[in-house]
Amino acid sequence: MRKKIVAGNWKMNTVISEGENLVNGILKRMNEVKNATVIVAPPFTHLYLVAQLLKGSTIRLSSQNCAAEDSGAYTGGVSAKMLISVGAQYCIIGHSECREYYGETDEILYVKLQQALKNNLIPIFCVGEVLAEREANRHFNVVRVQLENTLYRLNDIDFEKIIIAYEPVWAIGTGKTASPEQAQEMHAFIRQTLSKKFGAKADNTSILYGGSVKPSNAKEIFAKPDVNGGLIGGASLVADDFIAIATAF
Ligand code: 13P
């Protein structure tokens, strides 16, 4: 089923006490959220505590990344198995910040997808073009290649587990949102590209939009037929804003 999902990517924000307050603020208003699955993705250091706070609620827990390796001498690495062991259920993979700052290539991301899937972590897989690529009218091509290099290599069973996030890099943290029409156009393109490989299964994939989603623009973006929710950065750090977005369907 194509589920409606609102996920909060906290990025490298909050110390543990702030994270605890944020989760409690979201929990307090969760009864208002009727139509969406809510996911929070705090930093690694917060996952265990947040998992305890979320017990008995419907909020799901995600990490922001995972290692490409199983275990061993990879200083600083956090494996998919470790993440499952502290209560994470989802894992963001391929965020543009990780692609850019940590040199994560499509090849590495494909291995990370396999690591997550093998350990029963559900990937939230990010794709998106940078500004120069959109200006050169190459955005569809760029996203198609990102999909072909990664998700196209999964089997049907694994593909059905994936959540996709389209995040145009030029809209992340810039206050510049893609218009609802630009989002719909790319989401429909992503679905069509995936249907070439996975057929009707692509109809069921949730494709989230990310990039400067706020309470004031969430409703019109989420109203588009191929936009099945959002991956929220800045606005997910304020409980009331995050709830306003999660109720914008
Ligand atoms: P902003 O909502 O802060 O633009 O961030 C979007 C994002 O990168 C979510 O993963």
Side-chain angles (χ1 to χ4, degrees), residues 9 11 95 97 167 171-173 211-213 231-234:
N9 175 10
K11 308 192 179 181
H95 194 282
E97 288 150 16
E167 298 205 319
I172 296 176
S212 298
V213 178
L231 182 55
I232 320 300

Side-chain angles (χ1 to χ4, degrees), residues 101-143:
Y101 305 139
Y102 313 139
E104 296 190 356
T105 60
D106 284 346
E107 195 53 41
I108 293 169
L109 298 176
Y110 171 64
V111 178
K112 291 193 175 198
L113 282 169
Q114 289 181 309
Q115 276 293 336
L117 289 161
K118 176 170 96 175
N119 288 285
N120 294 319
L121 267 183
I122 300 171
I124 302 173
F125 187 69
C126 304
V127 295
E129 81 285 358
V130 301
L131 184 61
E133 290 163 341
R134 179 162 283 263
E135 285 176 346
N137 206 25
R138 289 179 46 224
H139 45 298
F140 291 118
N141 240 355
V142 166
V143 170

Side-chain angles (χ1 to χ4, degrees), residues 2-240:
R2 204 189 284 189
K3 275 198 227 133
K4 292 179 172 163
I5 297 168
V6 171
N9 175 10
W10 297 7
K11 308 192 179 181
M12 197 169 72
N13 292 297
T14 74
V15 295
I16 196 83
S17 56
E18 293 164 335
E20 188 170 2
N21 287 340
L22 179 51
V23 169
N24 285 331
I26 298 167
L27 280 170
K28 213 181 287 170
R29 293 190 55 194
M30 264 308 284
N31 59 330
E32 296 169 43
V33 180
K34 307 286 184 218
N35 294 323
T37 299
V38 171
I39 302 173
V40 292
F44 287 134
T45 46
H46 301 17
L47 288 171
Y48 184 75
L49 175 69
V50 173
Q52 311 315 307
L53 297 172
L54 295 183
K55 277 193 178 143
S57 86
T58 57
I59 302 177
R60 311 294 180 87
L61 185 61
S62 178
S63 65
Q64 298 175 15
N65 206 341
C66 72
E69 302 82 11
D70 274 317
S71 65
Y74 300 99
T75 302
V78 178
S79 71
K81 195 172 174 182
M82 292 172 187
L83 293 166
I84 283 282
S85 79
V86 294
Q89 297 141 313
Y90 298 79
C91 177
I92 297 172
I93 295 178
H95 194 282
S96 61
E97 288 150 16
C98 303
R99 290 176 188 257
E100 184 183 348
Y101 305 139
Y102 313 139
E104 296 190 356
T105 60
D106 284 346
E107 195 53 41
I108 293 169
L109 298 176
Y110 171 64
V111 178
K112 291 193 175 198
L113 282 169
Q114 289 181 309
Q115 276 293 336
L117 289 161
K118 176 170 96 175
N119 288 285
N120 294 319
L121 267 183
I122 300 171
I124 302 173
F125 187 69
C126 304
V127 295
E129 81 285 358
V130 301
L131 184 61
E133 290 163 341
R134 179 162 283 263
E135 285 176 346
N137 206 25
R138 289 179 46 224
H139 45 298
F140 291 118
N141 240 355
V142 166
V143 170
R144 182 178 51 74
V145 170
Q146 288 173 343
L147 296 171
E148 286 174 356
N149 286 344
T150 54
L151 300 189
Y152 259 48
R153 296 161 71 186
L154 299 180
N155 64 38
D156 283 19
I157 294 168
D158 282 342
F159 170 71
E160 285 184 289
K161 298 175 188 157
I162 304 281
I163 297 166
I164 295 174
Y166 168 58
E167 298 205 319
V169 180
W170 48 271
I172 296 176
T174 58
K176 225 191 252 176
T177 325
S179 68
E181 292 69 33
Q182 285 173 320
Q184 167 57 28
E185 186 183 39
M186 182 59 88
H187 284 225
F189 173 79
I190 290 170
R191 202 180 297 287
Q192 183 197 35
T193 303
L194 292 170
S195 73
K196 285 189 186 140
K197 168 79 170 122
F198 297 104
K201 288 187 167 52
D203 288 341
N204 296 328
T205 306
S206 292
I207 307 177
L208 316 183
Y209 169 79
S212 298
V213 178
K214 302 180 276 264
S216 58
N217 60 21
K219 214 181 179 77
E220 52 174 1
I221 297 171
F222 295 171
K224 294 294 179 191
D226 286 293
V227 179
N228 312 118
L231 182 55
I232 320 300
S236 74
L237 297 171
V238 178
D240 288 341

